[in-house]
């Protein structure tokens, strides 16, 4: 028996094709549709189109199904299955057959990636514009008040301090942005060399000593004499950033600790503070550049900038891991590992 | 003399706002560093207006606004948003949330009091 050419289209189509009765029961599926739903949890015993749809989108699919009448014979909607990638469905009702012909198109991988990138870019612009505007607001505000000549001597000194500190923050932010870009474009390993963990730690502590003294915070260090293979300036940058954060979030008179220990073929660095700690839901996100600003526009911590995203990039380039453990009220410990040379 | 509650997690912005309103308009400024602290101070101090930062960790400006509205003690206090982003709620949601206007960051400290007075129809 010869099958008709339409039959081949049905079998070969990369789009999802199926026929559904008016109650939503699946009648016939093409191989693409079968493949799509076979991978889902417990397909066994499920026979309705609606059974496979993601619970969040169930109502959408049900409404679409119910909207079909002899007057309105087509409906278009998008639903998710278990994965995040939605499928766009066009349902066409053939009233005389009591059948719905359903065509589902899935977005290609590239298209999905392009959209993710686009979203990431928008989020970055929104973070950066907020992070830039905050110090800019205080610099602009302080200078305008100073220039106006309307403030008293005492306030004048304070405004100068604020403007100076804010311009430092602005400079740091711009540097971090440039560094993020350059870490991205560097060929991993091109500036790697043998370095001593103890030396990196000492250099990082020297760099934050001024800030620590200013904030009346002690820095305690337990060095580890071991050799590693990495980019010394980038690793010092990670240590410095973690130390600076620890100092900033600590109360005057307290101590921050920098330790390193060997664990098998890894060196485990630790930067501990006794600050206010980080909420559990923020612990993962603080390293994630694109997750810092969520839809409710709330951030895990003020002035966190792009530094931790940069730290993670650098540590990952060294085949290491970075994470934080924290108890609210008792402080946070940032850990990262670098393989021993 | 007006009393303004400034809710902003950035300490320097609080300070500059404070100096600006005190020097230029001679108003009194109360500050709060988080939405939570802001709710308490709004209820306790009954300021004439609240300057509220939108982007704050933990409880953001809009969430704070909703809580201010939900409490009969703070409902009548007019709120002005201070924001570094342009993503503001729609104008029609403003009224419901008791928001009387928005001030963009960076703001001009010399005309900030004027902007507030204009939005709230106060005589300076």
């Amino acid at each position: 028996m010869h099958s008709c050419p339409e039959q081949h289209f049905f079998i070969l189509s990369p789009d999802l094709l199926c026929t559904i009765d008016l109650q939503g029961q699946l009648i016939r599926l093409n191989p693409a549709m079968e493949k799509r739903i076979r991978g889902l949890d417990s397909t066994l015993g499920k026979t309705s189109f609606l059974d496979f749809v993601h619970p969040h989108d169930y109502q959408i699919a049900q409404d679409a199904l119910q909207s079909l009448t002899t007057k309105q014979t087509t409906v278009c909607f998008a639903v998710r299955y278990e994965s995040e990638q939605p499928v766009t469905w066009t349902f066409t009702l053939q009233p005389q057959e009591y059948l719905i012909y359903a065509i589902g198109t899935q977005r290609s991988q590239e298209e999905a990636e392009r959209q993710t990138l686009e979203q990431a870019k928008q989020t970055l612009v929104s973070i950066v514009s907020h992070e830039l505007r905050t110090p800019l607001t205080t610099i602009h505000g302080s200078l305008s008040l100073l220039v106006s000549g309307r403030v008293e001597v005492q306030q004048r000194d304070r405004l100068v301090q604020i403007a100076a500190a804010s311009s430092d923050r602005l400079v740091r932010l711009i540097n971090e942005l440039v560094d993020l870009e350059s870490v991205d474009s560097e060929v991993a390993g091109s500036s790697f060399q043998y370095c001593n963990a103890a030396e990196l730690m000492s250099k990082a502590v020297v760099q934050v000593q001024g800030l620590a003294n200013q904030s009346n915070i002690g820095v305690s260090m337990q060095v580890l004499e071991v050799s590693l293979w990495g980019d010394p300036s980038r690793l010092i940058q990670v240590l410095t950033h973690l130390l600076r954060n620890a100092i900033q979030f600590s109360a005057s008179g307290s101590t921050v600790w920098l330790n390193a220990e060997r664990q098998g073929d890894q060196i485990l660095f630790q930067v501990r503070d006794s600050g206010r700690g980080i909420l559990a839901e923020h612990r993962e996100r603080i390293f994630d550049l694109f997750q810092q600003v969520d839809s409710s526009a709330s951030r895990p911590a003020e002035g966190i900038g792009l530094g931790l995203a940069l730290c993670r990039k650098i540590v990952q380039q060294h085949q290491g891991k970075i994470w934080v453990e924290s108890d609210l009220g008792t402080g946070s410990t940032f850990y990262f590992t670098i393989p021993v040379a | 003399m007006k009393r303004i509650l400034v809710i902003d997690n950035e300490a320097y912005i609080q300070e500059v706002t404070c100096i600006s309103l005190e020097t230029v308009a001679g108003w009194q400024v109360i500050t709060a560093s988080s939405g939570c602290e802001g709710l308490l101070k709004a209820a306790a101090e009954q300021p004439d207006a609240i300057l509220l930062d939108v982007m704050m960790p933990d409880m953001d400006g809009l969430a704070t606004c909703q809580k201010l509205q939900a409490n009969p003690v703070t409902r009548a206090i007019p709120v002005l948003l201070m924001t570094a982003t342009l993503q503001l709620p729609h104008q029609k949601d403003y009224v419901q949330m008791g928001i009387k206007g928005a001030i963009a960051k960076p703001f001009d400290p010399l005309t900030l009091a004027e902007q507030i007075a204009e939005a709230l129809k106060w005589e300076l």
Side-chain angles (χ1 to χ4, degrees):
Chain A
M1 197 183 81
H2 292 286
S3 55
C4 61
E6 287 82 353
Q7 175 72 9
H8 289 300
F9 282 128
F10 185 75
I11 290 165
L12 295 171
S13 166
D15 285 340
L16 314 179
L17 305 174
C18 55
T19 50
I20 303 168
D21 73 13
L22 297 179
Q23 282 70 49
Q25 294 297 310
L26 290 163
I27 309 291
R28 250 188 104 195
L29 320 173
N30 77 334
M33 177 66 178
E34 267 178 19
K35 195 172 151 208
R36 179 69 199 239
I37 61 174
R38 203 174 42 220
L40 302 180
D41 265 352
S42 61
T43 46
L44 218 71
K46 290 182 180 174
T47 53
S48 166
F49 177 86
L50 297 170
D51 288 342
F52 299 100
V53 172
H54 194 284
H56 288 154
D57 293 345
Y58 186 90
Q59 197 59 44
I60 298 174
Q62 197 177 34
D63 290 349
L65 195 63
Q66 283 169 357
S67 72
L68 290 172
T69 60
T70 45
K71 285 210 180 87
Q72 193 203 334
T73 55
T74 59
V75 61
C76 196
F77 61 97
V79 289
R80 284 166 298 172
Y81 288 80
E82 270 173 5
S83 74
E84 284 303 304
Q85 291 305 317
V87 175
T88 305
W89 283 101
T90 306
F91 277 14
T92 306
L93 174 68
Q94 291 292 342
Q96 54 284 53
E97 291 179 73
Y98 298 101
L99 264 188
I100 297 161
Y101 286 80
I103 303 169
T105 51
Q106 313 180 70
R107 279 189 314 164
S108 69
Q109 195 64 30
E110 296 100 79
E111 213 179 318
E113 276 168 15
R114 206 162 42 235
Q115 202 181 355
T116 313
L117 257 176
E118 187 55 36
Q119 270 169 1
K121 204 178 87 190
Q122 280 174 6
T123 315
L124 180 64
V125 169
S126 130
I127 295 171
V128 170
S129 77
H130 177 269
E131 291 289 326
L132 289 175
R133 266 171 207 254
T134 302
L136 199 60
T137 301
T138 48
I139 295 170
H140 173 76
S142 308
L143 294 180
S144 304
L145 284 165
L146 283 167
V147 169
S148 77
R150 295 169 75 167
V151 287
E152 289 160 22
V153 180
Q154 215 179 359
Q155 289 176 326
R156 225 174 334 182
D157 291 347
R158 184 63 192 146
L159 288 170
V160 171
Q161 281 171 6
I162 291 175
S166 302
S167 73
D168 281 351
R169 179 167 158 188
L170 205 53
V171 169
R172 208 165 47 239
L173 182 71
I174 303 285
N175 286 340
E176 282 169 0
L177 262 179
V178 172
D179 281 345
L180 262 180
E181 181 53 37
S182 66
V183 167
D184 258 346
S185 56
E186 265 166 25
V187 179
S190 62
S191 22
F192 279 25
Q193 59 190 73
Y194 285 105
C195 24
N196 185 323
E199 208 173 301
L200 301 179
M201 293 165 79
S202 306
K203 284 186 176 164
V205 169
V206 168
Q207 287 196 18
V208 298
Q209 201 63 60
L211 178 69
N213 293 345
Q214 235 176 52
S215 324
N216 186 30
I217 285 164
V219 180
S220 159
M221 173 169 65
Q222 201 173 0
V223 295
L224 177 72
E225 292 284 350
V226 62
S227 178
L228 58 87
W229 179 246
D231 181 337
S233 62
R234 291 288 183 215
L235 291 174
I236 292 172
Q237 202 176 357
V238 174
L239 289 167
T240 311
H241 186 82
L242 296 179
L243 284 167
R244 191 181 293 124
N245 263 2
I247 292 168
Q248 272 172 352
F249 287 101
S250 293
S252 173
S254 58
T255 304
V256 303
W257 293 268
L258 170 62
N259 293 336
E261 61 184 85
R262 194 173 167 152
Q263 290 197 339
D265 58 352
Q266 302 284 324
I267 306 167
L268 177 69
F269 291 92
Q270 303 179 27
V271 177
R272 183 155 59 93
D273 66 52
S274 48
R276 61 176 190 184
I278 302 164
L279 282 172
E281 62 260 41
H282 293 153
R283 276 171 218 160
E284 265 302 304
R285 284 171 38 194
I286 55 174
F287 294 103
D288 206 337
L289 182 61
F290 302 129
Q291 293 298 321
Q292 267 186 29
V293 177
D294 62 19
S295 53
S296 69
S298 72
R299 296 179 303 152
E302 60 267 36
I304 213 141
L306 310 165
L308 287 174
L310 180 62
C311 288
R312 184 169 70 174
K313 261 195 182 150
I314 295 171
V315 169
Q316 283 174 344
Q317 267 197 348
H318 286 79
Q319 316 299 326
K321 285 193 187 115
I322 185 165
W323 70 97
V324 62
E325 288 171 11
S326 183
D327 282 315
L328 277 188
T330 60
S332 311
T333 308
F334 282 82
Y335 298 89
F336 72 94
T337 59
I338 300 289
V340 174
Chain B
M1 186 180 63
K2 300 291 187 191
R3 289 166 73 242
I4 311 287
L5 171 61
V6 175
I7 308 176
D8 199 312
N9 62 301
E10 296 282 348
Y12 289 160
I13 290 191
Q14 276 182 21
E15 274 191 71
V16 172
T17 314
C18 199
I19 295 177
S20 153
L21 297 179
E22 285 173 357
T23 312
V24 176
W27 292 345
Q28 194 189 338
V29 178
I30 310 152
T31 56
S33 305
S34 68
C36 271
E37 194 190 343
L39 294 177
L40 293 174
K41 288 206 170 157
E45 305 273 347
Q46 291 291 309
D48 296 301
I50 297 172
L51 271 187
L52 178 61
D53 182 33
V54 176
M55 251 183 167
M56 290 190 292
D58 303 333
M59 193 199 292
D60 69 16
L62 297 180
T64 308
C65 225
Q66 275 160 351
K67 294 235 161 87
L68 286 167
Q69 275 298 293
N71 184 353
V73 180
T74 53
R75 188 178 296 152
I77 307 171
V79 175
L80 289 172
L81 294 179
M82 278 211 292
T83 172
T85 56
L86 300 169
Q87 287 170 331
L88 289 172
H90 292 296
Q91 202 81 34
K92 67 176 168 67
D93 300 331
Y94 259 48
V95 186
Q96 278 182 351
M97 297 174 89
I99 298 167
K100 299 285 187 264
I103 288 163
K105 287 181 186 172
F107 55 81
D108 178 359
L110 301 176
T111 59
L112 179 63
E114 260 173 61
Q115 283 187 61
I116 296 170
E118 199 184 306
L120 301 177
K121 304 191 170 60
W122 289 349
E123 301 256 325
L124 258 189

